[in-house]
Amino acid sequence: MSIASSAPTGAADRAFTILVYDPGMPVSVNVQTVHPRKLAAVRREVAPGAVGSAWGPALGKVWEFIRSQPGLWTDGHNIFLYHHPKQPGAPILCDFGVEVTRTFETAGEVHATETPGGEVAVTVHRGPYNRMSEAHNAIAQWMAANRRESAGHSWEIYGDPTPDPADTETTVVYLLSGPS
């Protein structure tokens, strides 16, 4: 894997491009300031590597709830919010959610929450979900190269589905700790 900075001189902590083995497309990591996004979500404690089997039933409950609440959803995306454990390998708390227009009272397992606001490292994954680790790894490499740390939260914003998984886009976001 080769690594190349795409930032102008003096702005090395603002953008970073990582070339992945396949398909050879660069993964660009950028720093942004974001505002919180309101979510309707179901929380699950998930073992490392088990998100793929946990999200479907949880998100099904969220969508069932949203359909019963006129005006709660207009065009928001599915967003999975991860609360990183302090110990590597420990289960992770996941809020499997959908972006909504307002807060609401908890109903069963569906609760109102939001993504954090602040300075974040962001990349866009293009391709099938089983390769999203490339985007997470790119951000981890960017943080190491720029001496930045995660503030313990990350999230994935799922784009609209496409017929070809190679065209699917998912935005991966990590909240950064401390000043740049």
Side-chain angles (χ1 to χ4, degrees), residues 90-127:
I92 186 168
L93 288 178
C94 304
D95 286 317
F96 297 110
V98 176
E99 190 171 12
V100 294
T101 58
R102 65 181 186 276
T103 59
F104 55 88
E105 294 295 321
T106 297
E109 290 187 82
V110 180
H111 68 279
T113 190
E114 60 184 27
T115 60
E119 189 177 38
V120 298
V122 180
T123 192
V124 175
H125 167 73
R126 289 178 181 85

Side-chain angles (χ1 to χ4, degrees), residues 73-156:
W73 179 83
T74 55
D75 63 355
H77 292 281
N78 294 340
I79 298 177
F80 297 175
L81 174 60
Y82 303 105
H83 308 271
H84 298 267
K86 300 257 187 239
Q87 296 220 313
I92 186 168
L93 288 178
C94 304
D95 286 317
F96 297 110
V98 176
E99 190 171 12
V100 294
T101 58
R102 65 181 186 276
T103 59
F104 55 88
E105 294 295 321
T106 297
E109 290 187 82
V110 180
H111 68 279
T113 190
E114 60 184 27
T115 60
E119 189 177 38
V120 298
V122 180
T123 192
V124 175
H125 167 73
R126 289 178 181 85
Y129 299 136
N130 66 354
R131 299 205 34 198
M132 284 206 346
S133 63
E134 294 171 4
H136 289 274
N137 292 340
I139 291 177
Q141 290 178 8
W142 178 91
M143 286 190 293
N146 288 280
R147 297 186 178 118
R148 298 298 303 269
E149 293 184 14
S150 168
H153 299 282
S154 65
W155 54 100
E156 298 162 346

